[in-house]
Amino acid sequence: MSLDASLPRTRQHSAIDLPLAVATIVVSFITLDNLRLFGTPILTDIIILETHFYYALLGLLLPFCFLTYRSNTKRDLLALDCVLAAITFIACAWLFLHGEEIVDEGWEFLAPDNAIVMSYLLWVLTLEAVRRAAGTTLFVLVLVFSLYPIYAGNMPEMLQGISIGIAETAAYHVMSIESLLGIPFRAFANLVIGFLVFGVALQYTGGGQFFIDLSFALLGRVRGGPAKVAIVSSGLMGSMSGSVITNVVTTGQLTIPAMKENGFEPKTAGAVESCASTGGVLLPPIMGSTAFVMATFLSMPYYQVALAAAVPALLYFTALFLQIDLYAARHGLKGIPAADLPKAWETLKSGWYYIASFVLLVVLLLVMQRESLAPWAATACLLVVNQFSKEHRFNPDRAMKFVIATGRLLVELLAILAGVGLIVGALSVTGLSGTLINDLLFIAGGSIGVLLLMGALTSFILGIGMTVTAAYIFLAIVLAPALIEGGLNPVAVHLFILYWGMLSFITPPVALGAFAAASIARANPVATGFTAMRLGIATYLIPFLFVIQPALILEGSSGATLLSLIEALAGIFLVAAAAQKHVPGIGSIGTLAAIVLGIAGMLVALPDMTLLGLGSNLLLLILGGVLAGVAFGLARFTPSP
């Protein structure tokens, strides 16, 4: 088995690859320097203020968006792309050179004419970069919101805000630290870059192949082995890539065929891969780029976000494992013969340094709490030790591909986050975010339950048309404060939004993750989506569990956390058994028994619901236990299909 075919590959080096590689190396250097990882910053005389650093990143990366995402493949439009890239660089360079004046003289509110011209240019070019990198949906949303300050005063009362002129809007967007350079961009600059570099390094040094081989060695022989391998390997790689689709089309190239050979239906194989890749973005310690933005929003160290997300992630993957195990038991699927699997010890010997770099990352991140240093130290360890590997050591060509792949990923994410920052800025300068909080609370009639359902639906809908990070940022501004005002835990609220935004990847009618997996599995996309929804059914319950009971995100005593975890696991087991219509020790069950068992599982899993006015925890547990008993009785005495 080999992951080489599924690694992201650049084509033969093009004219922009060398400049992109140079820009990526310079960005890495100034990021490390700005984080003071070399001690006293080397570039102190050049990068004096934080805004200098941000404009430097924009100037080095944003121009490549026009060269990487071409307006047209025709040669005659190459000149246009080059001109747009050049203007972007010039605008960023001008703002960099005037960084001190921007801060000292408050140009975001009162700028000279030449600064306003540069602001117009960078505003328009950022919009075009978003269109190219993220597509039409996000572009339209960013365009409408970035223009909102101009017409805010003429909107209906619920959407009304403070209006300012177009010149003032341009200046605020580009020169304040609340818009283009706002929370999303600052999270990218200060935290995300290092983790993206680590993720790409892991792929290009063969880490993806190692984790897949190790998963096969450890789990391949158990029933439903290939699917359980997919859960582990895709979960790990999805955490580092931060992209559901990217992960599906890379690890899925290996896991989906293996599942089909083992007897899984094509639609089920695709569904398993899409669910595992979706869960990867929710899996600590990395959780993709969105979690770093979350930490910035919450003004807390990233490691605290990762710790809070640990138990919900455990519940997610436990639910998925249970579903796969019960599916395999129901259909009589066996594991892969030991002779066809890699040997665990030999796999560990050949790739121990991947685990070592991961352990170093976790220790620095969670134990020493050096989140800025952690990904860079882990990357350095990985790259150095990798040179002793005969199979994966870097030669000049592979090193070049690694740097270019890193650059392309940085360019794409920077464009998206800069664009989403324009939404943040528009809501900030008009005061709309505060108005929406009060309006949402009014619509919900003071009911936290109604507000949660509204939040889940809104998160899901936005997750269909936007990237995970973009959807999360929008809702973190508009919806999260209303939920927090209603008395819910801030960390739980932000995780709730993230989970429900992710669920759109496995839920029809769109289900992009499931559709991508279906193309590899050669299965019907809609059928794959509904199968993924069935496999992930417990996942729809998990966000409500931890947002109502913060003990599941480690807020509270260890005893409360343990009790809530036991209740959640028991409930999830019953729901999983109902979804697969199979109970261990009983066998296959009928539809009526499955329905009763599913209801029982939800009641057992639900925490104290007095906050929502739906009864005490003890009452729900008793009722759930009674219904579970009824379901088991029905299972024993009624024929199964």
Side-chain angles (χ1 to χ4, degrees):
M1 300 175 184
S2 174
L3 190 65
D4 287 345
S6 60
L7 279 174
R9 293 191 183 276
T10 58
R11 44 191 182 355
Q12 290 298 317
H13 298 316
S14 68
I16 70 162
D17 285 346
L18 181 58
L20 178 59
V22 172
T24 303
I25 292 169
V26 174
V27 163
S28 299
F29 175 78
I30 66 173
T31 301
L32 289 166
D33 190 49
N34 188 67
L35 294 173
R36 290 168 169 73
L37 296 187
F38 300 135
T40 303
I42 299 168
L43 301 176
T44 303
D45 294 335
I46 302 172
I47 298 180
I48 301 170
L49 302 171
E50 201 73 9
T51 49
H52 283 123
F53 172 53
Y54 298 148
Y55 287 129
L57 290 184
L58 274 172
L60 287 166
L61 294 175
L62 194 60
F64 286 101
C65 195
F66 301 100
L67 303 174
T68 303
Y69 300 95
R70 296 283 310 285
S71 57
N72 196 296
T73 55
K74 294 179 180 178
R75 261 192 185 286
D76 55 355
L77 290 178
L78 175 60
L80 173 62
D81 294 328
C82 291
V83 168
L84 293 176
I87 295 173
T88 305
F89 178 79
I90 291 168
C92 292
W94 191 93
L95 292 162
F96 176 89
L97 293 173
H98 293 82
E100 287 184 88
E101 296 165 90
I102 291 171
V103 174
D104 294 342
E105 300 176 18
W107 282 5
E108 70 266 33
F109 297 111
L110 190 62
D113 291 342
N114 50 1
I116 290 175
V117 171
M118 291 300 172
S119 298
Y120 277 131
L121 287 174
L122 194 53
W123 180 12
V124 172
L125 290 165
T126 300
L127 288 170
E128 173 61 10
V130 171
R131 186 189 69 81
R132 295 188 184 205
T136 304
T137 302
L138 184 58
F139 164 74
V140 171
L141 191 65
V142 173
L143 174 64
V144 170
F145 272 93
S146 68
L147 290 170
Y148 175 74
I150 301 166
Y151 55 81
N154 300 319
M155 295 294 289
E157 186 176 352
M158 181 178 175
L159 300 175
Q160 200 169 86
I162 301 168
S163 288
I164 58 177
I166 188 169
E168 290 80 5
T169 300
Y172 187 85
H173 276 322
V174 172
M175 289 182 283
S176 77
I177 58 166
E178 300 296 335
S179 190
L180 189 68
L181 305 182
I183 286 176
F185 187 88
R186 296 201 300 273
F188 172 83
N190 296 322
L191 282 174
V192 176
I193 291 176
F195 286 90
L196 291 178
V197 172
F198 175 71
V200 178
L202 195 66
Q203 270 193 314
Y204 273 80
T205 55
Q209 178 63 53
F210 167 75
F211 285 117
I212 287 178
D213 284 348
L214 185 61
S215 300
F216 269 107
L218 297 176
L219 297 170
R221 279 177 283 185
V222 301
R223 67 184 181 193
K228 293 173 181 176
V229 167
I231 293 172
V232 173
S233 58
S234 297
L236 286 171
M237 295 307 295
S239 176
M240 284 170 276
S241 72
S243 169
V244 175
I245 305 300
T246 299
N247 201 52
V248 166
V249 300
T250 52
T251 57
Q253 299 284 355
L254 291 179
T255 58
I256 290 174
M259 284 186 272
K260 289 172 66 178
E261 289 177 13
N262 189 239
F264 281 82
E265 293 179 283
K267 65 178 182 180
T268 305
V272 170
E273 177 59 39
S274 63
C275 287
S277 293
T278 299
V281 184
L282 310 169
L283 180 66
I286 299 180
M287 300 175 64
S289 60
T290 308
F292 300 99
V293 180
M294 184 186 300
T296 307
F297 263 114
L298 291 165
S299 300
M300 63 192 301
Y302 170 72
Y303 79 89
Q304 292 182 6
V305 174
L307 287 174
V311 174
L314 169 67
L315 294 175
Y316 180 98
F317 283 98
T318 299
L320 199 51
F321 256 88
L322 284 171
Q323 289 257 45
I324 294 305
D325 190 66
L326 294 170
Y327 176 92
R330 179 179 174 86
H331 292 85
L333 301 181
K334 307 297 182 184
I336 300 173
D340 297 334
L341 294 170
K343 306 297 182 185
W345 179 243
E346 291 178 6
T347 303
L348 282 170
K349 282 197 301 182
S350 66
W352 61 270
Y353 54 92
Y354 299 115
I355 295 178
S357 64
F358 220 92
V359 169
L360 177 62
L361 176 75
V362 172
V363 169
L364 287 170
L365 188 61
L366 302 183
V367 180
M368 300 180 68
Q369 298 175 16
R370 297 291 303 276
E371 57 190 26
S372 297
L373 172 65
W376 297 104
T379 302
C381 168
L382 185 61
L383 294 179
V384 169
V385 179
N386 180 67
Q387 290 308 100
F388 295 95
S389 167
K390 293 181 180 179
E391 185 178 358
H392 298 295
R393 68 171 56 133
F394 278 5
N395 54 30
D397 182 63
R398 194 171 181 84
M400 182 72 167
K401 287 180 177 179
F402 159 63
V403 175
I404 292 168
T406 303
R408 290 177 184 272
L409 187 58
L410 293 177
V411 166
E412 178 186 4
L413 192 56
L414 176 136
I416 292 170
L417 293 180
V420 174
L422 295 174
I423 298 177
V424 179
L427 295 174
S428 170
V429 75
T430 59
L432 179 62
S433 53
T435 303
L436 284 174
I437 294 168
N438 295 326
D439 288 338
L440 286 171
L441 287 170
F442 176 77
I443 293 170
S447 169
I448 299 301
V450 173
L451 203 55
L452 278 175
L453 291 174
M454 288 168 54
L457 180 62
T458 308
S459 303
F460 174 78
I461 292 171
L462 282 179
I464 291 173
M466 299 168 65
T467 64
V468 176
T469 305
Y472 163 75
I473 292 169
F474 181 80
L475 290 165
I477 302 163
V478 175
L479 181 65
L483 292 170
I484 294 168
E485 280 283 321
L488 299 176
N489 180 278
V491 179
V493 165
H494 282 258
L495 284 172
F496 178 87
I497 290 169
L498 175 60
Y499 264 69
W500 270 96
M502 292 299 305
L503 284 170
S504 64
F505 282 89
I506 60 170
T507 310
V510 179
L512 293 177
F515 290 0
S519 67
I520 300 171
R522 299 182 184 276
N524 180 285
V526 175
T528 303
F530 279 110
T531 304
M533 188 177 178
R534 183 177 178 180
L535 285 173
I537 192 168
T539 313
Y540 297 84
L541 180 65
I542 290 170
F544 289 98
L545 300 186
F546 64 70
V547 79
I548 298 170
Q549 178 53 277
L552 288 173
I553 58 166
L554 307 182
E555 294 281 344
S557 67
S558 56
T561 298
L562 181 60
L563 179 61
S564 297
L565 179 60
I566 292 171
E567 291 173 0
L569 288 172
I572 285 171
F573 168 75
L574 295 177
V575 171
Q580 293 302 324
K581 294 185 178 181
H582 186 90
V583 177
I586 295 178
S588 297
I589 61 176
T591 301
L592 179 59
I595 292 172
V596 176
L597 191 62
I599 295 172
M602 288 191 290
L603 292 174
V604 169
L606 286 173
D608 192 338
M609 300 291 284
T610 52
L611 178 65
L612 306 185
L614 297 179
S616 69
N617 184 232
L618 180 60
L619 178 62
L620 295 174
L621 279 173
I622 293 172
L623 183 57
V626 170
L627 286 177
V630 171
F632 291 143
L634 286 170
R636 286 187 179 278
F637 299 110
T638 57
S640 61

